Amino acid sequence: MFQKLEYIRVGSYTKKLNDFPTLKKQLWEKLRDTKFEDTIAKQDLQEINISTHINFQPYFDLKQIPIPSDLDKILFYLLEDKILSKQDNGLYSITNLGAILFANQLKNFPSVGRKALRIVKYNGKNKINMEQEILLDKGYVIAFSEIMTLINALLPTKETINPTTGIREKEILYPQIAIREAVANALIHQDLSITGTGPVIEIFDNRIEITNPGSPLVDIKRIIDTPPKSRNEKIASLTRQLKICEELGTGWDKIATSCELAQLPAPKIEIYEDSTRVVLLTHIPYVNQTSTDKIRACYIHTCLKYISGEYMNNSSLRKRFGLGTTASASMSRLIKDTINSDLIKPLDPTTAPRHMCYIPFWG
């Protein structure tokens, strides 16, 4: 961005910006402090043309406000929430905030055109056989319900018999709240300054991978107890008002808790150079889980217990994995492995082994 600040127009002349060091510094500071959400995505629009580019109906529906019949009142709300801005010439601009959340078609906005969500379904456990690919070229708010519907339609299911009605029913293999929170986090907290890429949801027979541009803002080992941080504060604030996210830092807690209650392998976070991936796994019997998966589950279980004012022990860990008392020795070995990984520690090392409780390393 800085390299582009090379010239400035002065009257009918073009001057090198380096000839005006003070002005160059001021312009750079202004650009540096301007958030992506505030930047203009499309400008010079007349009032009547705004609805061609953005769909503001969900804004009023999710806020539970009757949509005004007067266009000026509609524009008042959209201006207040920085979805629009008014220009000095009396025309209107749509901000990046307005475009990425409410665009009828993201491709019509160059600044966010590559941020459309891709959903990819594979046949099997790898990427060799792609079964289906869907590009949702809409603002995230207006597409969110459709996103969840599409994901559920593509997820593997199992048939169960309703004990009351005797009717066969299909059961999705993942907790709905885990999927919803992971998707919302990927959309809202992605790094929008990384160009040429957007969020992707990949569905395999044994897992879901949800990837977004950017690295986490907090240490992933402390993601359960760390106060919330938002990379895109205005997007997070507005989506909270629209009940898509809570902005309380509880998203990962809900993902981890729902997977634990369903006795699924613990969700995991994978960090790459310029992206973050959340992986949700279908059921794997305890004996078939890797050592890494078991240790991660033990640590997350300990964290969830601790933030609830309780402590992890052999009994609670057995319950987390759906195991009986015969698995006590296995749980003891897992606890020892997790301690050796510097993730948990005894609450009181002097306690008798059978009464030992454990807390996270940061507790």
Side-chain angles (χ1 to χ4, degrees):
M1 181 187 293
F2 186 62
Q3 286 75 8
K4 294 180 181 179
L5 292 174
E6 296 179 357
Y7 299 96
I8 185 172
R9 190 81 174 174
V10 180
S12 59
Y13 299 96
T14 300
K15 300 284 187 180
K16 281 192 173 182
L17 197 53
N18 283 335
D19 296 338
F20 303 89
T22 302
L23 178 59
K24 182 174 182 177
K25 181 181 177 182
Q26 292 173 344
L27 289 172
W28 166 243
E29 289 176 348
K30 184 175 181 180
L31 280 173
R32 182 194 62 195
D33 296 336
T34 300
K35 297 289 187 181
F36 179 88
E37 302 135 298
D38 298 325
T39 310
I40 300 305
K42 193 172 285 290
Q43 60 186 5
D44 293 331
L45 297 173
Q46 295 182 349
E47 296 178 358
I48 197 69
N49 295 328
I50 291 172
S51 61
T52 303
H53 301 284
I54 62 171
N55 181 358
F56 46 74
Q57 180 73 52
Y59 170 88
F60 292 98
D61 291 344
L62 293 172
K63 277 201 167 187
Q64 298 182 334
I65 300 172
I67 188 166
S69 56
D70 188 336
L71 182 56
D72 286 340
K73 291 180 180 177
I74 291 175
L75 295 176
F76 170 80
Y77 281 103
L78 302 184
L79 289 166
E80 282 290 297
D81 274 327
K82 311 301 182 185
I83 295 166
L84 302 177
S85 64
K86 194 163 186 179
Q87 302 172 187
D88 293 339
N89 60 5
L91 299 177
Y92 292 85
S93 296
I94 298 172
T95 62
N96 280 333
L97 170 69
I100 203 164
L101 296 183
F102 300 100
N104 289 319
Q105 289 187 300
L106 287 169
K107 66 181 180 183
N108 290 334
F109 297 87
S111 57
V112 297
R114 293 296 301 275
K115 299 302 177 183
L117 174 69
R118 289 172 58 223
I119 302 176
V120 185
K121 171 71 168 67
Y122 298 97
N123 185 7
K125 298 179 181 180
N126 54 47
K127 297 186 179 184
I128 295 175
N129 296 313
M130 187 174 72
E131 190 175 295
Q132 192 171 358
E133 180 178 17
I134 301 168
L135 183 69
L136 281 159
D137 187 39
K138 301 177 184 177
Y140 298 154
V141 167
I142 64 176
F144 196 75
S145 293
E146 184 180 353
I147 291 168
M148 296 307 299
T149 300
L150 285 169
I151 292 172
N152 287 335
L154 295 173
L155 286 176
T157 59
K158 67 177 181 180
E159 280 196 348
T160 58
I161 304 296
N162 187 310
T164 303
T165 63
I167 296 174
R168 291 182 180 273
E169 297 178 348
K170 286 188 177 181
E171 180 182 336
I172 293 173
L173 302 182
Y174 302 90
Q176 284 291 290
I177 191 169
I179 299 171
R180 186 188 189 284
E181 292 296 328
V183 171
N185 284 345
L187 298 177
I188 294 165
H189 301 303
Q190 64 178 298
D191 188 341
L192 295 166
S193 69
I194 298 176
T195 59
T197 184
V200 181
I201 299 170
E202 296 174 289
I203 301 171
F204 301 85
D205 287 356
N206 63 339
R207 69 192 186 280
I208 308 173
E209 296 182 353
I210 301 166
T211 306
N212 64 269
S215 301
L217 296 178
V218 299
D219 181 353
I220 61 172
K221 290 182 181 178
R222 301 294 301 273
I223 197 168
I224 287 179
D225 74 300
T226 301
K229 279 187 180 181
S230 178
R231 180 179 278 114
N232 309 306
E233 294 178 0
K234 291 184 178 179
I235 291 177
S237 176
L238 186 52
T239 51
R240 176 188 57 79
Q241 295 175 47
L242 302 176
K243 301 178 177 62
I244 289 174
C245 82
E246 290 185 343
E247 208 181 4
L248 295 173
T250 59
W252 185 253
D253 299 19
K254 290 179 178 179
I255 294 169
T257 300
S258 61
C259 289
E260 183 164 297
L261 291 173
Q263 295 177 345
L264 298 177
K268 58 183 175 179
I269 301 174
E270 299 172 343
I271 302 175
Y272 300 90
E273 184 177 354
D274 58 359
S275 63
T276 302
R277 176 175 295 155
V278 171
V279 182
L280 305 178
L281 299 156
T282 55
H283 179 72
I284 303 173
Y286 178 78
V287 295
N288 294 337
Q289 292 185 31
T290 66
S291 175
T292 301
D293 286 345
K294 292 175 183 177
I295 290 172
R296 185 177 67 256
C298 180
Y299 172 62
I300 290 176
H301 174 67
T302 306
C303 293
L304 293 174
K305 281 287 186 182
Y306 188 74
I307 64 172
S308 300
E310 302 175 357
Y311 306 114
M312 185 273 282
N313 56 30
N314 192 295
S315 175
S316 73
L317 195 56
R318 291 199 312 270
K319 183 178 179 181
R320 185 262 176 262
F321 288 110
L323 303 173
T325 55
T326 56
S328 293
S330 295
M331 295 299 98
S332 295
R333 287 193 295 272
L334 175 55
I335 290 170
K336 183 178 179 181
D337 290 343
T338 311
I339 291 174
N340 291 337
S341 298
D342 297 324
L343 293 174
I344 65 172
K345 61 186 179 182
L347 176 64
D348 180 1
T350 64
T351 304
R354 67 182 300 172
H355 299 299
M356 190 75 77
C357 294
Y358 304 88
I359 60 176
F361 71 90
W362 45 263

